[in-house]
Amino acid sequence: MPEPLEGTFSADHSARLLRNYRYVVERTMRAIGGWIALTPELSAKLLMGRHVWDLAQHCDAFGQRLPELRSRAQVSEAANPAVATFMDSIEDAEAADQTVERLVGVYGVLKPHLLATYRDHLARANPVYEPPTRRILARCIDDEERHIAAGETILRYLAAGPRVTERVSARRRHLEGLLAAAGGVTGAGLPPRAAPEIVVARAELSDDAQEFIRLEKATGAWPIPPDLEKAQRSFADAFVAGDDAGLSRLLAPGLELEATAWALLRGTSYSHHVTVAFARLGHQRLVKTRLDGPSSSATVLARWTSSPEGWRIAALDVVGRDAVRPA
């Protein structure tokens, strides 16, 4: 029978682990907080907005526990340089069209690893003299299970289609390789990754991924300023009509039509357009438009900027393109 006062972790070792956890959680919190403004999809915005607060609470709990382990309060520490490299790669998905890359990095790779790491730590933490650490880990485990379930739901919703699925798989492989090379967030290797035991019924409205999706689908009108809405409609009409001159008139000075998404899509027949996402980014506005035609569809992202002549497009990119399957 094991001695009840025996433990796996010394105070110094426990403090180091908490600093390691705090490092990745703090960086994740800052990253998703910054991504909210960059993300056009409402469901993903709501998801990240809900989880920033939880991660801030985790950081604070880890940081407050440190002085009790004879370590300075609120200190973060990467286990090794490879962990910092892994987090750099998580954070590099900053383009407006990289929502799925952001989600797979946090919810498909990092958080499942954190969940497994917390569970492994909790299983080995002594219940006699480490109850404060155990309570923190139990709270983090509960939150991470909920976060992962919600994140995977939103990711499946946004990653429909073979092209996006390929992007998700490539991103996952890349980040999992970096994480393995780092030895996980503690540098000690990857703990077994068991499937999270999720009780779907306990999801609250404030963190219900399906509700986020319903809210996104229910958005009948985006809060686009009237003058921008008029310019956006002219832009989309010109795209459908194949009107080079009409499109050129809406470009900001210095941006050539051939340097935009139009060069990739010219000659494709489109018959319908719909605005599918809108976001504010500082003084600029991001508008995502879906173009549908008899043989293909495409989604373009326009970054609009205000000028004395009215709203003008500062950047125009293709963020999705699919062939329509025959009936």
Side-chain angles (χ1 to χ4, degrees), residues 22-140:
R22 193 177 189 279
Y23 174 80
V24 295
V25 172
E26 182 179 26
R27 287 195 60 172
T28 306
M29 174 192 69
R30 294 180 184 278
I32 67 174
W35 289 339
I36 293 170
L38 302 176
T39 302
E41 295 84 356
L42 180 62
S43 56
K45 276 182 181 292
L46 292 172
L47 176 80
M48 293 186 285
R50 295 293 190 269
H51 295 167
V52 165
W53 186 85
D54 288 334
L55 295 181
Q57 295 296 303
H58 297 183
C59 280
D60 191 52
F62 290 141
Q64 289 191 43
R65 174 65 173 143
L66 287 172
E68 300 165 353
L69 298 169
R70 302 193 297 270
S71 181
R72 286 195 299 124
Q74 305 297 353
V75 173
S76 299
E77 177 188 356
N80 54 52
V83 173
T85 299
F86 167 70
M87 291 306 302
D88 289 343
S89 191
I90 287 273
E91 294 174 5
D92 69 13
E94 293 186 335
D97 61 342
Q98 289 185 298
T99 300
V100 295
E101 282 81 2
R102 292 192 274 274
L103 294 182
V104 75
V106 172
Y107 295 95
V109 178
L110 175 58
K111 282 182 173 291
H113 169 65
L114 280 177
L115 176 61
T117 301
Y118 293 157
R119 284 176 168 170
D120 181 67
H121 188 163
L122 179 62
R124 295 189 289 146
N126 188 285
V128 174
Y129 62 82
E130 293 188 280
T133 298
R134 290 173 60 86
R135 282 196 292 270
I136 293 169
L137 291 171
R139 186 264 169 92
C140 292

Side-chain angles (χ1 to χ4, degrees), residues 208-261:
D208 184 352
Q210 292 295 342
E211 180 66 15
F212 297 161
I213 294 171
R214 285 192 292 272
L215 287 170
E216 180 172 309
K217 289 181 175 179
T219 303
W222 296 93
I224 304 176
D227 53 345
L228 175 56
E229 185 176 19
K230 181 179 179 181
Q232 164 67 16
R233 188 164 52 250
S234 297
F235 153 74
D237 287 344
F239 222 114
V240 168
D243 181 1
D244 289 46
L247 288 169
S248 295
R249 284 193 295 271
L250 292 168
L251 300 183
L255 180 62
E256 298 295 330
L257 189 60
E258 291 301 320
T260 71

